[in-house]
Amino acid sequence: MGNNKEMATVSKATIGRLPAYHRYLKEKQAEGERTISSTAIAEDLHLNAVQVRKDLALISSVAGKPKLGFDVEDLIADIDRFLGYDNVSDAVLVGAGGLGSALVGYGGFKNYGLNIVAAFDSSPSLVGTTLHGVHVFDVGELTRLVRRLNVRIGILTVPKEAAQGAADALVSGGVRAIWNFAPVHLSLPANIAVKNEDMAASLAILSKRLAEILSNEK
Amino acid sequence: MGNNKEMATVSKATIGRLPAYHRYLKEKQAEGERTISSTAIAEDLHLNAVQVRKDLALISSVAGKPKLGFDVEDLIADIDRFLGYDNVSDAVLVGAGGLGSALVGYGGFKNYGLNIVAAFDSSPSLVGTTLHGVHVFDVGELTRLVRRLNVRIGILTVPKEAAQGAADALVSGGVRAIWNFAPVHLSLPANIAVKNEDMAASLAILSKRLAEILSNEK
DNA sequence: TAGATTGTTAATCGATTAACAATC
DNA sequence: TAGATTGTTAATCGATTAACAATC
């Protein structure tokens, strides 16, 4: 039902920029701005103004006005709707160690449409405890509980040796999207969405850029 | 001195894939494999074989052999050298909260050429403590200590309100690369390398892909 | 009105993939 | 030798940027 063509037509690159626009617009709104130009957004976010206009046109229902720019409130509402920020989904987290605990503790994910309803771990010292209000279950119960809770999103923060097994357990329980923080390539069915948070890749890009900058100075 | 043309010519996309090749090759090496074909790598990592060959050609000193493939050990050494994994750099971390503590605790960064030598926080309850062997200093000492330690890389895991100030303090101390986990756009001089770890962007991409998959099933 | 800003078409840029001869 | 695999050139694909008429 309705407009789901948008999902196919909006590129990953554009989707990735939308949260930054959203944060920026919220900030401007808090400062009392009612309208904003693509030129201003582009300048502040170090983007190209045409790119900003194209991105916004893809997800927005209202057009910008020459000379005035875009209505801040409308844009925020459009991004909220497009990214599902107004429609929170449940998720479970597997691996209640340092990173997992930090993600649960962050809490801000609710603003991004994600609600962590349960955590899992294999360590007896963690099972049964509560992490920032989220109960930690034994990983043996993962598949069963995920199925019962009807959860579609799993966050993987386990050591790499445990990642594939945990991913399989999530999928068995009916999870269809996995946010993977473990440094491993997961083998999963094609109809499962996977997003790898590859810290090593980020670090590699950063350190090569640093090396380039330093070498240009000599 | 030497071959620094490589830095400019290897694309960010390629650099981002290198850590995955590295992990994969280490795994194969542990399994006793001496050689590997681009076809095999591509299949296992869900990439295109030509892309794999092009990536490897950019950073490798030794050619692959028709019928045999590439020498695993040589490739690992080449990636080690190219990404600086054999040449650890010091870094400081600002923000010793949940995420910061998790990153320090991970410890695995040393394998990726990064050594966290000090942490900073503004909370009196954290200052003076030790985080997985790393001392937590008062953020007021940040600039001075960074300068004294001659550190070039800073990791930002502070709340977003504190991010710009902390980034400025890092730069004042001589830091030239910032790995930013705070959900804000930092305004910094052009000759500072910044890598934003935008969790909201990743989550947006994942959840749109999930929505797409689910809508295709109906 | 004049000019800042929009939306769109065309040009450019960069990265991925296909095709294929060379070769171990 | 035959065939799997390489390295490279050409084609394609997708995303970014430039140019510019429309308009508030």
Side-chain angles (χ1 to χ4, degrees), chain A:
Chain A
M1 29 143 75
N3 54 348
N4 61 3
K5 196 184 61 187
E6 64 183 17
M7 292 172 189
T9 51
V10 178
S11 79
K12 218 185 291 187
T14 294
I15 294 171
R17 283 187 292 267
L18 291 175
Y21 295 142
H22 191 266
R23 280 193 297 266
Y24 178 83
L25 292 165
K26 281 282 201 182
E27 227 174 78
K28 288 295 159 186
Q29 190 182 45
E31 290 169 10
E33 305 285 342
R34 315 296 293 273
T35 59
I36 187 99
S37 74
S38 61
T39 330
I41 299 176
E43 189 166 330
D44 290 343
L45 259 34
H46 296 298
L47 299 170
N48 178 291
V50 178
Q51 184 173 65
V52 173
R53 287 201 291 279
K54 287 203 165 173
D55 285 343
L56 296 180
L58 284 168
I59 58 100
S60 180
S61 44
V62 292
K65 290 196 185 64
K67 191 92 161 124
L68 265 180
F70 299 83
D71 184 287
V72 172
E73 198 179 335
D74 286 349
L75 280 187
I76 292 173
D78 282 334
I79 299 176
D80 277 340
R81 190 184 47 74
F82 183 81
L83 292 182
Y85 286 177
D86 52 0
N87 176 17
V88 178
S89 304
D90 286 345
V92 296
L93 179 136
V94 196
L99 181 58
S101 157
L103 292 180
V104 173
Y106 169 50
F109 286 130
K110 248 172 220 154
N111 300 323
Y112 298 124
L114 199 74
N115 183 35
I116 301 176
V117 295
F120 295 87
D121 206 287
S122 61
S123 157
S125 63
L126 287 172
V127 172
T129 66
T130 291
L131 227 59
H132 305 276
V134 174
H135 191 87
V136 180
F137 296 92
D138 189 287
V139 77
E141 304 202 63
L142 179 54
T143 298
R144 190 176 63 77
L145 263 176
V146 162
R147 183 167 299 286
R148 204 177 74 195
L149 295 168
N150 203 32
V151 168
R152 293 279 164 272
I153 303 177
I155 307 173
L156 261 192
T157 49
V158 298
K160 60 175 183 294
E161 302 75 27
Q164 183 66 53
D168 292 340
L170 284 167
V171 171
S172 296
V175 156
R176 305 301 301 279
I178 294 179
W179 197 4
N180 177 35
F181 287 81
V184 278
H185 179 86
L186 301 173
S187 292
L188 293 169
N191 63 346
I192 306 291
V194 180
K195 176 71 186 157
N196 294 300
E197 212 60 43
D198 190 341
M199 303 277 186
S202 295
L203 181 56
I205 291 167
L206 179 65
S207 61
K208 288 310 276 187
R209 199 145 60 198
L210 172 63
E212 198 185 334
I213 286 174
L214 294 180
S215 82
N216 282 342
E217 280 176 3
K218 303 275 172 56

Side-chain angles (χ1 to χ4, degrees), chain B residues 3-184:
Chain B
N3 55 347
N4 61 2
K5 196 184 62 188
E6 63 182 18
M7 293 173 188
T9 52
V10 178
S11 78
K12 218 187 287 188
T14 294
I15 295 172
R17 283 187 293 268
L18 292 176
Y21 295 142
H22 190 266
R23 281 193 296 266
Y24 178 84
L25 292 165
K26 281 281 200 182
E27 229 173 76
K28 288 295 159 187
Q29 190 181 45
E31 289 168 11
E33 306 284 343
R34 315 296 293 273
T35 59
I36 188 97
S37 74
S38 62
T39 330
I41 299 176
E43 189 167 328
D44 290 343
L45 259 33
H46 295 299
L47 298 170
N48 177 290
V50 178
Q51 185 172 67
V52 172
R53 286 201 291 278
K54 287 204 166 171
D55 285 344
L56 296 182
L58 284 168
I59 57 102
S60 181
S61 44
V62 292
K65 289 197 186 66
K67 190 89 160 134
L68 265 181
F70 299 83
D71 184 285
V72 172
E73 198 179 335
D74 286 348
L75 280 187
I76 291 174
D78 283 334
I79 299 177
D80 277 339
R81 190 185 47 73
F82 182 81
L83 292 181
Y85 286 177
D86 52 1
N87 175 15
V88 177
S89 305
D90 287 345
V92 296
L93 179 137
V94 195
L99 181 58
S101 156
L103 291 180
V104 174
Y106 169 49
F109 286 129
K110 249 173 220 153
N111 300 323
Y112 297 125
L114 200 73
N115 181 35
I116 301 176
V117 294
F120 295 87
D121 206 286
S122 61
S123 158
S125 63
L126 287 172
V127 173
T129 66
T130 291
L131 226 58
H132 305 276
V134 175
H135 192 86
V136 180
F137 296 92
D138 188 288
V139 78
E141 306 202 61
L142 179 52
T143 298
R144 191 177 62 78
L145 262 176
V146 162
R147 182 167 300 284
R148 205 178 70 195
L149 296 167
N150 203 30
V151 169
R152 292 280 166 271
I153 303 177
I155 307 174
L156 260 193
T157 50
V158 298
K160 61 175 183 291
E161 302 76 26
Q164 183 66 54
D168 292 340
L170 284 168
V171 171
S172 295
V175 156
R176 305 301 301 277
I178 294 179
W179 197 4
N180 176 35
F181 288 81
V184 279

